[in-house]
């Protein structure tokens, strides 16, 4: 499996743990700020890019937020995507990807905007980075709260 944006003829350099976190946390902060998301919270976790749970890994941030009262959620998700496209993100998924939901991407990061599952908040953005971290995160099954980082200016 090749991470999106990856040219198999030119191997991509591995990302450090810090680079992997920044690759998804920084765009999550950008979406929260530019789109003006309300009551934002977020978690970071590691995802294996294969079904054996082995390297490579990618970073993932799940952002939850409130949909403004009286607003149609689907229209609001479209508005978020349009706002981010207006700020340099690309509309739709990266080439070769077919995720479900409203998708935008930038660089090596894909964001899926939609209804939240499992929280009290109505909206979510799931950000997935590139499969370029070769660290052993097989036992890092924990999600880390990054809400404070998302709220930083």
């Amino acid at each position: 499996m090749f991470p999106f944006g990856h040219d198999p003829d030119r191997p991509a350099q591995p990302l450090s743990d810090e680079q992997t976190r920044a690759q998804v946390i920084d765009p999550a902060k950008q979406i929260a700020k530019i789109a003006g998301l309300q009551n934002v919270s977020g978690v970071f976790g590691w995802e294996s890019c294969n079904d054996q749970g082995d390297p490579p890994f990618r970073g993932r941030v799940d952002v939850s937020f409130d949909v403004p009262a009286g607003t149609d959620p689907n229209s609001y998700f479209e508005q978020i995507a349009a706002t981010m496209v207006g700020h340099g993100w690309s509309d739709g998924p990266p080439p070769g990807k077919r995720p479900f939901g409203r998708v935008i991407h930038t660089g090596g990061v894909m964001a899926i905007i939609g209804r939240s599952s499992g929280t009290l908040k109505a909206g979510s953005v799931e950000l997935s980075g590139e499969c370029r971290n070769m660290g052993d995160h097989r036992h890092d099954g924990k999600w880390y709260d990054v809400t404070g980082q998302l709220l930083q200016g």
Side-chain angles (χ1 to χ4, degrees), residues 78 81-82 84-86 88-95 101-106 111 113:
E78 289 295 329
M84 298 315 298
V85 168
W89 286 63
S90 296
D91 197 14
R102 184 62 176 96
V103 182
I104 57 176
H105 71 280
T106 186
I113 307 164

Side-chain angles (χ1 to χ4, degrees), residues 12-36:
Q13 294 296 316
L15 295 176
S16 69
D17 288 358
E18 184 176 299
Q19 291 169 319
T20 301
R21 284 189 290 271
Q23 186 184 44
V24 287
I25 292 173
D26 290 348
K29 287 170 47 174
Q30 183 184 36
I31 291 172
K33 181 179 180 180
I34 292 172

Side-chain angles (χ1 to χ4, degrees), residues 59-77:
R60 178 171 151 183
V61 170
D62 287 357
V63 177
S64 297
F65 59 91
D66 289 337
V67 173
T71 303
D72 174 65
N74 291 326
S75 296
Y76 188 61
F77 304 149

